[in-house]
Amino acid sequence: MQNMTPVAIAALGLELAPTVLFGLAAERVVRALGRWPVVVRVSFPALFAAPYLLVSISQHTFRWEWFALYAALPVAIASLLTQAAAADPRQHGNWRDWLILLILGLAVDLRWFDRAWPSGLRALNELFLVDAGLYGFLAIRQLNGTGFDFHLKWSDWKTGLRELVFFTPAVLVLGIMVGFIHPHRNLPGLGSALLRWVAIFFFTAVPEELFFRAWVQNLLERRVGRWAALVVAAVLFGLSHFNKRSAAFNWRYVLLATIAGIFYGRAWRERRRVPASTITHASVDWVWGLWF
């Protein structure tokens, strides 16, 4: 992100706080929230609009309609998932789950809300959507088997890096064949390279793995089984890249991202751990940026 004023940094901290809390202490957070009255639990995420309020006022871009949207959307998600939890206690997947995932996915891919934010700070919109989804699916729906956890284990590294090794030869050959990969070298210093990997891990790979693996693949498995869920989630992941690096439909990116999604999904489902697939995902993007 650019344009990082002190106010923008404060807004970023506010948006990262829910993600960090759920990643480090999800069970305790869910238990604490469970003691609140239902009305309070459902209404609470309206506070997620605070970062927009801070940034827009400081940048003189405040609009009431955007503020209303940012206050209302997390509450609507919490309300729908409260109903889904009651209608589908066995968590086989309810239409409300899929509606919310559709809205969240399209909002990111089609950049529905980007113009609400000043140039250079639009990534804050995606973090807002992550917070709204996390609160809804973990605190309200209490969806099990997501594997969203920032306590990295040795098995996460082993699984994540193994899938990277499996994935790399296939994508190199195919990527060069279809003209999508053009090898070059862009090697920064060691410190800069490590910081780049960490930034990709938290700001690109975690949100995407949370969405496509912890939520989409997780829910699909309950309906269509492990293999079909793996393939469908990978195809959806690939299609989400249709407008990346191109104004038209970028079929090469879609194809390679779909294949990558298979390996990310394999990493997640081995122990149902988001950190494992996130390590694969972040490492692929990191290597891609350094050499391709």
Side-chain angles (χ1 to χ4, degrees):
M1 288 189 296
Q2 292 126 14
N3 198 16
M4 289 302 289
T5 64
V7 172
I9 293 171
L12 175 63
L14 286 174
E15 292 201 332
L16 288 175
T19 303
V20 172
L21 279 173
F22 280 113
L24 295 178
E27 291 185 5
R28 281 180 285 172
V29 171
V30 170
R31 282 199 303 269
L33 292 171
R35 292 193 285 267
W36 295 2
V38 174
V39 173
V40 176
R41 282 205 307 273
V42 171
S43 303
F44 177 76
L47 295 176
F48 293 169
Y52 169 76
L53 192 63
L54 286 174
V55 170
S56 61
I57 290 175
S58 71
Q59 299 275 340
H60 308 290
T61 59
F62 176 81
R63 300 286 295 271
W64 279 107
E65 56 268 34
W66 286 118
F67 176 69
L69 173 74
Y70 281 112
L73 182 61
V75 174
I77 289 172
S79 178
L80 284 170
L81 289 177
T82 298
Q83 298 170 39
D88 177 33
R90 299 181 66 181
Q91 301 188 349
H92 288 164
N94 181 265
W95 66 266
R96 298 170 183 86
D97 300 318
W98 299 114
L99 175 63
I100 289 166
L101 291 174
L102 179 65
I103 291 170
L104 292 175
L106 290 178
V108 172
D109 273 356
L110 302 182
R111 305 182 179 94
W112 282 350
F113 309 151
D114 278 10
R115 56 196 177 93
W117 298 85
S119 177
L121 295 178
R122 289 170 183 171
L124 291 173
N125 175 66
E126 294 185 20
L127 289 175
F128 161 82
L129 295 171
V130 168
D131 289 344
L134 269 174
Y135 186 88
F137 280 105
L138 295 190
I140 302 296
R141 186 69 159 110
Q142 297 185 26
L143 184 65
N144 58 46
T146 63
F148 184 71
D149 181 6
F150 286 163
H151 296 94
L152 270 66
K153 302 178 179 179
W154 166 243
S155 61
D156 297 328
W157 291 100
K158 185 172 82 168
T159 300
L161 294 177
R162 181 198 66 205
E163 294 303 317
L164 172 68
V165 171
F166 289 167
F167 167 73
T168 300
V171 79
L172 283 179
V173 172
L174 182 59
I176 292 171
M177 285 176 58
V178 301
F180 185 75
I181 290 178
H182 305 283
H184 65 272
R185 189 172 71 170
N186 179 29
L187 297 179
L190 179 60
S192 295
L194 291 175
L195 284 174
R196 182 182 296 181
W197 188 90
V198 171
I200 294 170
F201 182 94
F202 284 106
F203 293 105
T204 299
V206 165
E208 292 186 2
E209 292 308 300
L210 175 66
F211 183 88
F212 286 101
R213 257 52 72 177
W215 297 340
V216 173
Q217 188 172 335
N218 185 9
L219 283 167
L220 280 171
E221 281 190 356
R222 303 156 198 249
R223 290 287 186 179
V224 299
R226 296 179 79 229
W227 283 103
L230 174 67
V231 172
V232 173
V235 169
L236 292 174
F237 177 74
L239 289 172
S240 74
H241 292 73
F242 80 98
N243 59 352
K244 306 292 174 64
R245 299 188 183 182
S246 173
F249 186 88
N250 193 339
W251 68 268
R252 294 175 180 84
Y253 207 156
V254 169
L255 174 62
L256 294 176
T258 298
I259 296 171
I262 293 289
F263 289 88
Y264 302 164
R266 279 167 45 91
W268 172 80
R269 77 176 188 179
E270 179 162 313
R271 295 177 184 267
R272 304 183 78 83
R273 297 272 301 168
V274 168
S277 59
T278 302
I279 288 168
T280 310
H281 190 154
S283 300
V284 167
D285 286 4
W286 183 71
V287 171
W288 200 295
L290 291 180
W291 290 98
F292 304 102

